[in-house]
């Protein structure tokens, strides 16, 4: 069995953003030379997500609106977590809703996606360097 590991780095200039990382994950898969197996992609921070959905700007706007209704950033004093001196209580909750990781089947050297599926990095507390892990196993 072959095993491949790579960290992708992001430094998002805004507090929140959704970034399509599908091409970067496909590049990892090419580098791995794995043709059949599984590809795990996970955020390595507890205020960021990796998820799969449609690359459609209206949907991303809807996510932003929905997440701000569920866990508004302001007022930061509403979160017990922020009593530690942080201001990212909302980001932890948003990450929980959007998920930590995705696993995609690798078939015939490609990511075996469903219709319109793409992989996204969801940033909820940006403006600093953060990592995503890509781990691919198979043969
Ligand atoms: Zn925090």
């Amino acid at each position: 069995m072959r095993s491949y590991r790579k960290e992708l780095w992001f430094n998002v200039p805004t507090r929140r953003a959704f970034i399509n990382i599908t091409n970067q994950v496909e590049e990892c898969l090419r580098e791995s030379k794995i043709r059949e197996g599984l590809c795990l992609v996970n955020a390595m921070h507890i205020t960021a997500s990796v998820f799969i959905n449609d690359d459609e700007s209206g949907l991303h706007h809807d996510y932003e609106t929905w997440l701000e209704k569920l866990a508004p950033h302001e007022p930061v004093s509403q979160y017990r977590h922020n009593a530690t001196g942080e201001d990212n209580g909302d980001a932890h909750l948003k990450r929980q809703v959007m998920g930590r990781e995705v696993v995609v089947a690798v078939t015939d050297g490609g990511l075996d996606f469903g219709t319109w599926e793409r992989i996204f990095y969801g940033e909820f507390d940006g403006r600093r360097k953060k990592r995503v892990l890509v781990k691919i196993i198979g043969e």
Side-chain angles (χ1 to χ4, degrees), residues 25-36:
V25 177
E26 286 175 336
E27 182 59 35
C28 291
L29 182 56
R30 276 191 291 277
E31 264 180 34
S32 77
K33 307 213 186 311
I34 290 169
R35 306 280 306 165
E36 295 290 329

Side-chain angles (χ1 to χ4, degrees), residues 72-127:
H73 177 67
E74 301 277 358
V76 296
S77 61
Q78 73 191 297
Y79 299 101
R80 186 81 61 90
H81 177 68
N82 289 340
T84 61
E86 291 194 272
D87 68 350
N88 65 4
D90 66 307
H92 291 273
L93 301 179
K94 287 166 173 143
R95 182 271 170 100
Q96 207 69 40
V97 167
M98 297 303 284
R100 171 182 181 264
E101 80 278 306
V102 300
V103 178
V104 184
V106 174
T107 304
D108 198 20
L111 296 173
D112 203 342
F113 284 127
T115 307
W116 298 112
E117 285 190 334
R118 290 294 175 263
I119 307 172
F120 294 89
Y121 174 67
E123 178 62 83
F124 306 116
D125 185 25
R127 301 173 297 186

